[in-house]
Amino acid sequence: MKDTGEASVAGDPRLFDMRLRRSHDDLFGMLARLYGHRPDYAAFRDALDAALRAAWAARPDALKWHDLERDLEPDWFQRPDMAGYVFYADRFAGDFRGVAERIDYLKDLGITYVHIMPCLHPRPGDSDGGYSVMDYRSTDPRLGSMADLQALAAALRSHGMSLCIDLVLNHTAREHDWAARARAGEARYRDYYHVFDDETEPRAFDRTLVEVFPDTAPGNFTFDADLNAWVWTTFNTHQWDLNWANPWVFLEMTEVMLYLANQGVDVLRFDAVAFMWKRMGTRCQSEPEVHMILHALRAASRIVAPAVIHLHEAIVGPAEMIPYLGQGEHSGKEGNLAYHNSLMVQVWSALASRDARMMAHVLDTHFPPVLPNATYATYLRCHDDIGWAVTDEDAAASGLSGQGHRAFLSEFYEGRFPGSFARGALFQVNEATGDRRISGTCASLAGLEQALALNDPGLADMAVARILMGHALIASFGGIPLVYMGDEIALLNDWHYIDTPAHAHDSRWLHRPEMDWPAAAEAQAGGDGPAARVWHGLRHILARRAATPALHAQYPTLICRPDDPALFAFRRAAPAAPLLCVFNVADSWRVLPEDWAAAQGVTAFRCALADAPVTPQDGKLHLPPYAALWLA
Ligand code: GLC
């Protein structure tokens, strides 16, 4: 496609120098503050400079050309034609080659961004769904080789699609070479981890730490007999936390990051970033140094591989999340994307309580209307459980008890609360805090499993309406909406997960089913079954999103407060053509006064989602259960 002339423009070394100048202070300014006090700082800085140059030299011409394109179109990931699909390669299509064969399916749905769940070389046996990585420079052999991944990235790129993969920054598998060398007694590698000769410090840290997997992996430290010491393991005992206070860890991981960028990856999902810095007397989450490290990593990508953006996985409380998209000195310079966990939690909470007031309060209070050079990854379900991240303060502001409401949500989505439409399972019950997280697929949590079990078409209609309303909401809020594999055809919970020994202890496998291709083909063919209605409905939502300029992430999202508690609304303040998005979270008809909508700046009623006019009656818009309107 490109002649030699073009390739040499993109590969001109002066571009590297210009980009280094552009981001020099962002990188070395942060690093000097993190590591400048160390006697080996100058050696580290030189080694990092050499690593950046080596990575640039190794970057293929086609990707350097891609860098130029994206330097010219820095808003590419904020545009309304972006829509993501998230899946385990083996469960979706067997392996990387199988995924390439399914590109047409994804295109048909309207997908432009593909997130393959952890696909780097995992430890054998239980690998926490691939998040326990023993080699970052090779792929999971069951999925194919690094060359196959590279070929898949190129195939996706040729279809205008971006590839996202996971890079676990917080920990490596115990089987990683660094950990093996630490156990073999190499001091250099022992310093890559948080290792303690006795229990004194671990116990002191423990006083303020929380437990992530209290059921299956209690505690935060593990005694390792080979090491003859305690090692920090926030998650599972086989996941050893890296010591980011050591600059050589920063160097190694930067090299890995750029190596993956050079395979043709567009989006790197940084896993569990909140935990990367430890400080005695704190929860060791979201410490200021975490943001400095992420700022520096972002700068390194901008120097060598500016086509690449960073997605931060920080599943933290609402107020703690925004800094991961850059705040204060990190504004516009940290993550380009971060999961909007609060939005997800609030959607499920509003559906259970048929009341959107707390959702409006939380989104209005804690989230700015617009983010510089960043946006959200919005979603209803992902591969993880749902933790009810509702603070006591936010609950109280909405007249609820935090603890009471969280307990209600767990009971509701487990399916035990009287009148609940959901079928789900508990994940990690924490007796000490009363926390009970929830697993389940979108369709099962939204009521379809129960409706089918009861053979009740009316309930199935309601479930389909909930699923589509939820997706219309995450497709319009601002950010890249992510569809989790199988949700587009309303796959139900996979209760057989317990038959797989490596999965039986982890109920998250309930909502990580295998793709059902016959069901997908049937849904695509049409008909009025729930799967077909969800497929075609979702496809329509994504097509209408792509056709609606006001949904560009650069336009502010302003929360509105309709009088009816069952209605959730926000305005997408595009100067030329603002959009008023309204959602009915209840299972009954509601009305929206015409003059209220007019006061929000919408006068001629046309729904951009239905692509049809809406006619008010008696000065009111009438909204059926779970209606979604994008009023232009
Ligand atoms: C992230 C992943 C989760 C995993 C954890 C530890 O939260 O999403 O699946 O268990 O990190 O790596």
Side-chain angles (χ1 to χ4, degrees):
M1 183 180 99
K2 274 130 224 146
D3 66 30
T4 350
E6 283 173 331
S8 68
V9 169
D12 190 319
R14 284 173 299 180
L15 276 177
F16 177 87
D17 296 334
M18 282 155 64
R19 292 189 180 123
L20 182 59
R21 272 204 300 282
R22 172 175 73 179
S23 299
H24 183 275
D25 292 353
D26 288 320
L27 178 60
F28 292 101
M30 288 296 142
L31 295 177
R33 282 160 59 191
L34 285 163
Y35 308 122
H37 60 280
R38 294 181 46 124
D40 55 358
Y41 181 65
F44 158 71
R45 213 184 36 205
D46 292 347
L48 180 62
D49 183 82
L52 298 179
R53 288 174 198 280
W56 159 262
R59 190 156 173 82
D61 272 338
L63 296 180
K64 287 179 173 166
W65 189 250
H66 201 39
D67 291 335
L68 274 187
E69 277 179 315
R70 287 193 168 159
D71 262 343
L72 293 171
E73 301 185 59
D75 70 333
W76 65 272
F77 64 95
Q78 299 176 314
R79 294 181 183 170
D81 63 350
M82 290 299 293
Y85 191 78
V86 185
F87 57 88
Y88 285 93
D90 56 341
R91 311 211 133 216
F92 177 61
D95 56 16
F96 295 138
R97 289 178 196 210
V99 174
E101 282 160 24
R102 296 294 182 181
I103 289 179
D104 286 344
Y105 174 79
L106 298 171
K107 278 189 94 166
D108 189 20
L109 184 58
I111 298 304
T112 51
Y113 163 120
V114 165
H115 174 186
I116 302 186
M117 295 294 298
C119 61
L120 301 180
H121 202 145
R123 75 190 287 269
D126 174 26
S127 64
D128 186 24
Y131 284 104
S132 203
V133 178
M134 61 181 283
D135 181 5
Y136 294 101
R137 290 174 201 263
S138 69
T139 53
D140 183 340
R142 289 166 299 192
L143 303 178
S145 64
M146 192 55 86
D148 294 329
L149 182 64
Q150 225 178 67
L152 175 58
L156 289 167
R157 210 161 42 248
S158 73
H159 286 275
M161 296 164 118
S162 302
L163 173 64
C164 170
I165 70 166
D166 285 84
L167 174 52
V168 186
L169 295 181
N170 181 65
H171 45 265
T172 72
R174 182 182 183 272
E175 288 73 13
H176 193 286
D177 184 50
W178 303 335
R181 294 171 82 163
R183 284 196 301 280
E186 287 189 48
R188 175 184 170 95
Y189 292 99
R190 206 175 152 102
D191 279 351
Y192 276 29
Y193 300 95
H194 298 275
V195 178
F196 307 92
D197 290 332
D198 63 51
E199 266 192 281
T200 323
E201 266 192 274
R203 291 303 146 249
F205 273 113
D206 260 340
R207 281 199 276 274
T208 50
L209 293 176
V210 291
E211 294 182 316
V212 181
F213 295 146
D215 255 5
T216 50
N220 282 277
F221 301 89
T222 303
F223 182 77
D224 192 283
D226 296 349
L227 205 55
N228 192 25
W230 291 83
V231 61
W232 200 309
T233 52
T234 299
F235 293 87
N236 290 294
T237 54
H238 52 79
Q239 289 164 304
W240 287 21
D241 287 37
L242 283 165
N243 174 17
W244 283 84
N246 177 351
W248 302 100
V249 167
F250 182 94
L251 177 68
E252 295 265 18
M253 292 307 281
T254 303
E255 286 179 320
V256 164
M257 173 181 85
L258 298 174
Y259 169 80
L260 295 173
N262 283 351
Q263 309 308 309
V265 171
D266 298 278
V267 182
L268 285 165
R269 175 193 181 277
F270 290 163
D271 182 66
V273 289
F275 301 88
M276 286 165 67
W277 196 270
K278 322 294 189 193
R279 175 168 282 115
M280 184 65 79
T282 71
R283 290 184 307 133
C284 297
Q285 285 192 51
S286 305
E287 287 298 301
E289 288 82 354
V290 169
H291 297 290
M292 295 165 68
I293 294 169
L294 295 173
H295 185 148
L297 289 172
R298 178 80 206 105
S301 282
R302 273 178 46 93
I303 293 166
V304 175
V308 174
I309 59 169
H310 296 178
L311 161 61
H312 291 167
E313 190 239 4
I315 306 305
V316 292
E320 206 174 310
M321 182 270 199
I322 281 298
Y324 288 94
L325 290 169
Q327 211 176 33
E329 64 173 333
H330 308 300
S331 179
K333 297 182 164 182
E334 203 177 315
N336 305 90
L337 294 168
Y339 290 100
H340 205 325
N341 178 61
S342 283
L343 179 65
M344 183 275 292
V345 165
Q346 292 299 331
V347 171
W348 292 109
S349 164
L351 285 172
S353 56
R354 300 169 175 81
D355 188 325
R357 283 174 296 183
M358 184 168 63
M359 170 151 68
H361 167 76
V362 166
L363 295 170
D364 204 8
T365 315
H366 301 295
F367 298 92
V370 75
L371 297 153
N373 190 28
T375 189
Y376 305 111
T378 59
Y379 64 114
L380 291 176
R381 288 301 292 118
C382 68
H383 68 292
D384 277 330
D385 54 290
I386 306 178
W388 302 114
V390 174
T391 64
D392 290 345
E393 294 72 23
D394 287 331
S398 315
L400 298 167
S401 130
Q403 191 156 22
H405 189 64
R406 291 188 295 269
F408 158 69
L409 291 173
S410 296
E411 277 184 38
F412 190 94
Y413 284 106
E414 196 191 352
R416 287 197 301 126
F417 195 84
S420 164
F421 48 70
R423 293 258 168 112
L426 294 182
F427 177 73
Q428 304 292 331
V429 176
N430 189 333
E431 299 298 351
T433 60
D435 258 4
R436 286 176 296 157
R437 286 136 71 184
I438 284 289
S439 291
T441 67
C442 180
S444 289
L445 295 182
L448 192 59
E449 188 168 328
Q450 188 191 79
L452 296 179
L454 298 174
N455 201 8
D456 185 326
L459 292 183
D461 287 349
M462 285 294 186
V464 168
R466 273 181 212 114
I467 295 168
L468 292 177
M469 187 273 270
H471 282 97
L473 197 158
I474 62 163
S476 53
F477 187 81
I480 304 183
L482 303 180
V483 178
Y484 187 70
M485 189 211 85
D487 288 350
E488 77 280 17
I489 52 166
L491 284 190
L492 303 179
N493 289 333
D494 176 10
W495 294 100
H496 295 296
Y497 79 92
I498 43 171
D499 300 338
T500 305
H503 298 167
H505 69 284
D506 187 340
S507 75
R508 291 176 297 176
W509 290 97
L510 182 63
H511 52 258
R512 299 170 181 174
E514 307 244 355
M515 185 59 177
D516 185 340
W517 287 109
E522 217 178 293
Q524 281 180 292
D528 57 7
R533 278 186 286 156
V534 169
W535 163 271
H536 289 280
L538 183 54
R539 191 169 173 269
H540 174 80
I541 291 169
L542 297 181
R544 293 306 305 153
R545 167 177 153 84
T548 307
L551 297 180
H552 192 296
Q554 84 185 8
Y555 298 129
T557 302
L558 304 168
I559 307 296
C560 311
R561 312 275 183 133
D563 292 331
D564 185 340
L567 297 182
F568 175 63
F570 52 80
R571 199 154 57 87
R572 297 303 312 277
L579 205 64
L580 177 64
C581 302
V582 186
F583 306 89
N584 177 2
V585 302
D587 51 1
S588 52
W589 282 77
R590 321 300 296 196
V591 293
L592 187 72
E594 196 179 339
D595 44 359
W596 184 86
Q600 316 304 314
V602 174
T603 42
F605 293 106
R606 185 172 176 84
C607 179
L609 177 55
D611 198 17
V614 193
T615 322
Q617 281 160 7
D618 314 322
K620 296 181 189 101
L621 295 177
H622 294 258
L623 280 74
Y626 306 115
L629 294 177
W630 298 350
L631 296 173

